[in-house]
Amino acid sequence: MDATGGLEAWTRGPRLLLLLAGFALLIRLPFFFPAVIDWDESTFMLMGQDLLDGHLPYTHLWDNKPPLLFGAFAMMIAAFDSIPGIRACGWLLVAGTGYLIFRLASGISGRSAGLAAALIGMFFMTVTGGQAVMSELLAAPPMMGGLLLLSRSGGAGRYFAAGLCFMLAALFRTNLAIVVVALCVYAFVTTQPWRYRDRFIWFAALVAGMILPLALLTIPYLATGQADLLIRSVVLAPLSDTGERPGIGATLLSFLRGGISGQSGLWFLAAIGAALAIRGWKRGPDAGVAGYVGVMAVASTLSVLATRAAHGHYLIQVVPPLAVFAGIAWQETARRSFRLVFLLLILVTSVMPLGDIAREYGNLIARAANGERLASGRAYRIAALLEAENARDKRVYLMTDHIVYWMLGTEPLAPIATHPSNIAKEGLLIFVEGRGATTETVLATLLATRPDYIVKEAETTWLEDKPAAASLLAGRLAEDYERIAIVGKAEVFRLVDASG
C-alpha cells in the first residue's frame, strides 16, 4: 500500500477515531493522576459536588463561572467519582475536538491537512495549560461543532443546532460570546444567495437554539426567586474589576513575553496556513469554511485579551482555529520540504511542555515499579493527615489544595472561600459579601469562626497585595494555632484549643 492509500485508510471511520483517541491518550495519560494541576479545576469539582448535594450553583458555594460548567462537573463526578475519571473525561473532550478540527481542515485542504490539524490541535490544547479539565476544554467541542454547522449549507434545523452549540460553549466560557457574535455577523453578511426571507428564518432558528439552554438554566432560579443571584454571579461578577486585571495592552505584552505560553510555533504555522488560504491555493469544495475559521481565530484572540488576565490556559480557546490553519500549511507546503522544519519548530518551541509530559511519565512509571499508588500529590497527603486528625466533622479552612474538601467530604467555611483566592479579589466581594466588604474584613470573619485546622502555603502569594489581611492571618496563627505539619510547601495549623 502506498503512502496515499495508508493515509486514506487511517483518516476514515473507526481507524480515524482510534488514531485521534490514541494520540490524545498518549499525551494526556500521565496527567490523570496528580491531585492538583490547576486549582480552578478543584473549584469546579467542589461546585459540581455541591450541585449533586442538591444546591443550585451560587446559592451555597460560589464562583464566578457559568453554571453549565458546574453541571458538567457534577455529571463527571456522578459517573466516575474520582480525579482520574474526571481527567479521562478531559481526554475524551480533547479527542472529540480533534475530530471536529479534522472535519474542518480536511474540508478546506484535504485529509492530510485534517489529520495534521487534529494532531497539532490536540497537542496544543493539552500543553497550553490544559492537562487538567479546564472550562476551555469543555467549551471547545460545542464551539467547533457550532462552527462546523454554521459554515455548511442546510435548513433551519442546522442553524438551530448551531445556535444551541454556541450557547452551550458560552455557558462554559462566557467570553466566547464575543466569538459567537462575530461568527453570526460574518454568516449573516456572507451567506449566499441573499434572500431576506431566508435570512429571517435562519436568524430566528439560530436565536431559538441559543435561547433554549439559557431558558432551561434560568427556570430554576426564576422558580426560587433567585434570578438576581444568577445575574450577579454569571454576568456582573465576571465583568467586574477584580483588581488583578492589567489592561488589554499589558495582557498582550505578558503573553508575548511568555512566548504565547509555548504556542509560538503554532502561531507561526497558522500564519503561513492563513496566508495560503487567503491566496486560495488548492481550494477544496468547502474552502469557504476558511473564512469562518479566520473569523474565529481573530475573535477568539480578542476575546482572550478582553479578559485582561494573562492566564496561559485561556489561550486554549485559540488553538482549534489556529490548528486548522497549521494543518493547511502542512498540506500546502508538502512539496517544498518544509515539513521537517515545521516539526522542529513545534518541538523547539514546546520543549518545556514536552519535558512536563516526559517527567510525568517518569514519575508514573517509577510509582508503578515501586508498587505505589498511581495517584499523587500533596493534597492526598494533606487529606490523609487531616483524616488521621478526625477532621471530617471539624471546621477546616483550606487556603491551598482546596480539593481536600472534596476528598474529606466537607465543604468550605463560606461561599466566598470556595476558591481560596477569591477573597483577595475585592471586585468580587460586593457580589457575595455586599458593599464595603474588603479582603481584611472577610478574612477576619472567616477566622472569627475559629477553624479547627488551617492549611496554607508557606508564602500565600495571593495575599501579597493585601498586607493588612496578611498581617491579620499571621497574627491569628501565632496567637491561636500550632503548626503540626509541613507537607511540601504547605503548612498545616491546628487550633490550640482543639489539640487537647
Side-chain angles (χ1 to χ4, degrees), residues 404-490:
V404 172
Y405 287 127
W406 185 76
M407 294 175 177
L408 294 176
T410 59
E411 59 187 34
L413 300 180
I416 193 63
T418 305
H419 191 301
S421 70
N422 275 349
I423 69 168
K425 301 173 183 176
E426 296 191 344
L428 296 180
L429 297 183
I430 185 175
F431 301 103
V432 186
E433 300 295 329
R435 294 186 181 276
T438 66
T439 299
E440 184 179 4
T441 60
V442 172
L443 181 60
T445 301
L446 288 170
L447 295 176
T449 65
R450 296 177 65 80
D452 297 295
Y453 297 90
I454 296 176
V455 181
K456 63 179 287 291
E457 295 280 2
E459 299 292 335
T460 306
T461 56
W462 48 268
L463 282 179
E464 286 179 349
D465 295 332
K466 309 292 181 183
S471 177
L472 171 66
L473 175 64
R476 191 62 56 85
L477 289 174
E479 293 175 8
D480 299 334
Y481 289 82
E482 60 179 347
R483 190 174 65 189
I484 61 173
I486 299 177
V487 183
K489 294 183 179 180

Side-chain angles (χ1 to χ4, degrees), residues 320-493:
L322 294 183
V324 171
F325 284 126
I328 294 173
W330 175 267
Q331 170 66 19
E332 303 300 347
T333 57
R335 298 176 183 176
R336 294 165 177 78
S337 302
F338 287 162
R339 289 188 172 180
L340 180 58
V341 176
F342 286 178
L343 287 174
L344 289 175
L345 181 63
I346 290 176
L347 291 174
V348 170
T349 58
S350 307
V351 63
M352 291 185 63
L354 287 170
D356 291 340
I357 295 173
R359 184 174 61 254
E360 286 299 327
Y361 263 114
N363 294 337
L364 189 64
I365 293 170
R367 289 194 297 272
N370 294 330
E372 301 174 7
R373 61 181 293 184
L374 298 182
S376 64
R378 72 181 185 186
Y380 288 109
R381 301 197 298 274
I382 293 171
L385 172 66
L386 293 176
E387 184 78 40
E389 292 275 323
N390 296 315
R392 283 184 180 269
D393 299 322
K394 297 179 181 179
R395 299 178 64 82
V396 179
Y397 182 25
L398 297 169
M399 304 181 75
T400 186
D401 293 275
H402 56 302
I403 191 62
V404 172
Y405 287 127
W406 185 76
M407 294 175 177
L408 294 176
T410 59
E411 59 187 34
L413 300 180
I416 193 63
T418 305
H419 191 301
S421 70
N422 275 349
I423 69 168
K425 301 173 183 176
E426 296 191 344
L428 296 180
L429 297 183
I430 185 175
F431 301 103
V432 186
E433 300 295 329
R435 294 186 181 276
T438 66
T439 299
E440 184 179 4
T441 60
V442 172
L443 181 60
T445 301
L446 288 170
L447 295 176
T449 65
R450 296 177 65 80
D452 297 295
Y453 297 90
I454 296 176
V455 181
K456 63 179 287 291
E457 295 280 2
E459 299 292 335
T460 306
T461 56
W462 48 268
L463 282 179
E464 286 179 349
D465 295 332
K466 309 292 181 183
S471 177
L472 171 66
L473 175 64
R476 191 62 56 85
L477 289 174
E479 293 175 8
D480 299 334
Y481 289 82
E482 60 179 347
R483 190 174 65 189
I484 61 173
I486 299 177
V487 183
K489 294 183 179 180
E491 299 177 321
V492 182
F493 293 86

Side-chain angles (χ1 to χ4, degrees), residues 306-328:
T307 65
R308 294 183 294 143
H311 300 306
H313 62 85
Y314 284 8
L315 290 174
I316 295 173
Q317 298 169 74
V318 306
V319 168
L322 294 183
V324 171
F325 284 126
I328 294 173

Side-chain angles (χ1 to χ4, degrees), residues 234 242 363:
V234 179
T242 64
N363 294 337

